[in-house]
Amino acid sequence: MRAKPEEIVSVLREEIQNYDTRVRRDETGTVLEVGDGIATVYGLDQAVYGELVELDTGVKGMVMNLARDSVGVVLLGSEAGVREGTVVRRTGRAADVPVGDGLIGRVVDVLGQPIDGLGPIETTETRPIEHEASGVVSREPVNVPLQTGILAIDAMVPIGRGQRELIIGDRQTGKTAIAVDTILNQKGQDVICIYVAIGQKASTVARIQDTLKKHGPWTTPSSCPPLPANPPPLQYIAPYSGAAMGEYFMGKGKDVLIVYDDLSKHAVAYRTLSLLLKRSPGREAYPGDVFYLHSRLLERACRLTKEYGGGSMTALPIIETQAGDVSAYIPTNVISITDGQIYLETDLFFAGQRPAVNVGLSVSRVGGAAQTRAIKKTAGTLRIDLARFRELEVFTQFASDLDPATQQALDHGRRLLELLKQPLYHPMPVSRQAILLYVATSGLVDDVPLEHVRPFVLGFAGEIEAEHPDVVAEIESTGTLSGPAVECIRAALADAKKRGQRHMASIKEIRTHIKSVEQTLKITNAMYLISSAKVKKARKQLAVRIGKNAAQGERPGRGVHLRGNVVELPLDGIRPIADGQFQGDGFGIVEAVQKRQNAVRRGRKIGIDGSWETMEASVPVCGLMTLPTSTLWRGHAPGERGLDDRISQFDARLGQGGLRGGDLRFGIAQLFAPADHRGL
């Protein structure tokens, strides 16, 4: 098919009209060397710090080191295929990530790419990962509480929206648990939550993701995903990527909660990159700008004025200490940057106090400004009471005689600690916290037994929520605890105590009866052990005596032959006495009861093997029966009736013409119990 001339002319005319006369200029460089995720590039003389570059292999990188003749590029991907001579192009823009509402409820990597298998993310905007923090003019004081749902924190270490509160402690002390509980408590609070996993294991990230899906507001527009990062370059930019995503929502007037878990691994990753980039090491091999590393990150968390959007971003960085050393380099740096810290103590954790918050070392520089009036009123003396309890506990641990005031203070402190215990994934609403704090700090439950304080108070709080919803609604709406509400709580508590006393009385009676039964059982078991010991001793003595007699060539008894480990028992001399019963003398006696119409006849064959269990027709009645000596005396205690007295006591059922093996075994064992060893 030939094209028409007019069609060719129209195509040429369109190409001429769309021809771009502008000259495109790309600045490129080449890779000199690559290794450990770091590429040294020659030729990018105009590159700036933090600029994004692209390699021919498709991998992107970020400029992090500026030298006279080269630049150091951190690869944000695999270095496979990158070798000497690979072309590197400048992009002219800083490293950025996509932002927008499409990120909510998704799991993405540090570059904003989805990794949850739910398809691409629809976003129209991007934001640089490195951004200057908001100035003083655009900031507003932190005075709006951010409820964590954890009683110990909301009561003594309050967190406000826009605050930077450090969570610090040793490994496995519950740092991540506090952060996750705080995220779970934001359900229905219109707070965007971002969890940044820095250097965490894939299993840890998966577990947190599953927890958020199961307990949290994952499907609602009030949460954002974890950002996993494993290689050092990705660990380095992970918190900045999360902060960029949070700043987008903050600029839209929303409240954001971001968790950095944890900045200790972030500092280690930055140290690794700095050493690979041949920067001079400083204290603990960290570079000199490690303080600036975290300060420029955490300063981005703030609360904006209404003129600048009115949003806020609250940061909860996590720092892991070694052996409780809070004076180490990185912990002291971050403590000086943040607005307070929540210190988790290992001893408290292993003592069962969870969350293991050390009240003495934990502080919030915002203070009561980030508390509701109800919490502030009811928790006013909590920190002082706990501090007093700690001091008295140390001074009186070796004391035996305490005055009533000291004992009362100790009992009050122990009950406070019991009420501050809280399981995982069970955040408390403000109303429940206010009720618990009021009854605890007022000493209204000091007369409740220590082991019953927590279930009693929690049950009482549930009754208040069910039977007095007006009190709960007042606390939630106004944030205060009025006088009528206090009187209602006191009256309900007195009634609950009366019911509890009656219940405890019945439980006490049951426990007393159980203890008496247990004591009786112990006595019975002791008597059984004593009897068993005596039986064992008698068996041992008998076996020794039989062995000695056999060694001396003596006959063990009348009609009995001991040959090795076998005893021969004659079954002759059987004679009837009356009604089918038979009796003999000596060791050749077997008595039995059979059906009246049957009788034992001489010459009938019966037998039994060495185990005394199965019956075989092997020997006549008047012959010999062989039995192992190891089982001859089994199961019988000494001191029983003699042989002649027991002859008529045993009844063995007879089948159709023959004795059953079990009956015969028992009969012979009865006859030759240890009590009869006197005739041996």
Side-chain angles (χ1 to χ4, degrees), residues 204-534:
T204 302
V205 177
R207 187 181 70 251
I208 294 174
Q209 179 182 350
D210 183 70
T211 301
L212 294 177
K213 287 183 178 180
K214 184 177 179 181
H215 301 279
W218 187 263
T219 58
T220 67
S222 59
S223 66
C224 240
L227 301 174
N230 287 319
L234 300 183
Q235 294 183 36
Y236 166 69
I237 68 172
Y240 301 105
S241 299
M245 298 176 186
E247 285 177 330
Y248 168 81
F249 294 106
M250 181 176 63
K252 298 295 183 180
K254 295 186 176 293
D255 295 315
V256 180
L257 170 65
I258 184 168
V259 177
Y260 304 112
D261 191 10
D262 61 59
L263 293 188
S264 301
K265 294 183 177 64
H266 182 240
V268 172
Y270 184 65
R271 178 176 63 183
T272 302
L273 294 178
S274 299
L275 294 175
L276 292 174
L277 292 169
K278 300 178 181 179
R279 296 179 179 178
S280 299
R283 177 180 171 183
E284 299 182 12
Y286 289 103
D289 61 341
V290 69
F291 182 87
Y292 181 61
L293 173 76
H294 291 151
S295 64
R296 72 176 189 266
L297 170 67
L298 297 175
E299 282 295 328
R300 298 164 71 173
C302 64
R303 185 186 177 200
L304 300 176
T305 60
K306 293 182 179 180
E307 291 79 9
Y308 289 88
S312 69
M313 185 166 69
T314 307
L316 295 181
I318 296 176
I319 289 290
E320 180 179 319
T321 58
Q322 302 294 328
D325 185 14
V326 296
S327 62
Y329 191 28
I330 300 301
T332 52
N333 281 350
V334 182
I335 287 175
S336 63
I337 298 170
T338 54
D339 302 321
Q341 68 275 347
I342 301 171
Y343 179 68
L344 304 180
E345 189 176 352
T346 306
D347 294 339
L348 292 177
F349 183 85
F350 290 116
Q353 189 66 34
R354 302 175 186 179
V357 179
N358 187 310
V359 180
L361 298 180
S362 302
V363 65
S364 174
R365 297 186 178 94
V366 177
Q371 281 182 313
T372 61
R373 285 178 290 179
I375 300 297
K376 186 187 299 183
K377 179 181 179 181
T378 55
T381 62
L382 181 59
R383 183 184 286 270
I384 298 174
D385 292 341
L386 289 177
R388 184 185 178 191
F389 167 73
R390 296 294 187 190
E391 292 181 358
L392 292 176
E393 190 180 32
V394 172
F395 285 111
T396 61
Q397 58 182 342
F398 301 109
S400 59
D401 193 11
L402 302 176
D403 59 281
T406 303
Q407 188 63 51
Q408 183 180 359
L410 291 173
D411 294 340
H412 181 65
R414 293 188 182 98
R415 284 161 175 78
L416 291 178
L417 291 178
E418 280 295 320
L419 292 177
L420 291 179
K421 294 180 181 179
Q422 193 168 341
L424 286 174
Y425 316 138
H426 286 80
M428 292 185 184
V430 178
S431 58
R432 176 167 292 194
Q433 290 183 6
I435 295 172
L436 264 65
L437 288 173
Y438 176 74
V439 299
T441 56
S442 302
L444 300 178
V445 292
D446 288 352
D447 55 345
V448 179
L450 182 61
E451 63 273 13
H452 302 294
V453 168
R454 179 170 175 78
F456 173 76
V457 175
L458 292 178
F460 168 71
E463 291 181 4
I464 292 292
E465 294 172 354
E467 300 177 3
H468 303 279
D470 53 333
V471 175
V472 177
E474 178 185 351
I475 298 174
E476 294 287 349
S477 59
T478 64
T480 59
L481 194 63
S482 62
V486 170
E487 294 298 330
C488 180
I489 292 174
R490 283 181 171 271
L493 182 63
D495 185 56
K497 282 184 178 181
K498 292 180 181 179
R499 297 195 307 270
Q501 289 176 356
R502 293 194 296 267
H503 181 65
M504 292 301 299
S506 60
I507 293 178
K508 188 176 180 180
E509 293 178 358
I510 295 174
R511 289 180 175 177
T512 302
H513 183 67
I514 292 174
K515 287 183 179 179
S516 71
V517 174
E518 290 177 349
Q519 292 295 330
T520 304
L521 183 61
K522 289 180 180 179
I523 295 173
T524 304
N525 291 335
M527 295 176 65
Y528 176 77
L529 292 175
I530 294 173
S531 309
S532 300
K534 291 182 177 180

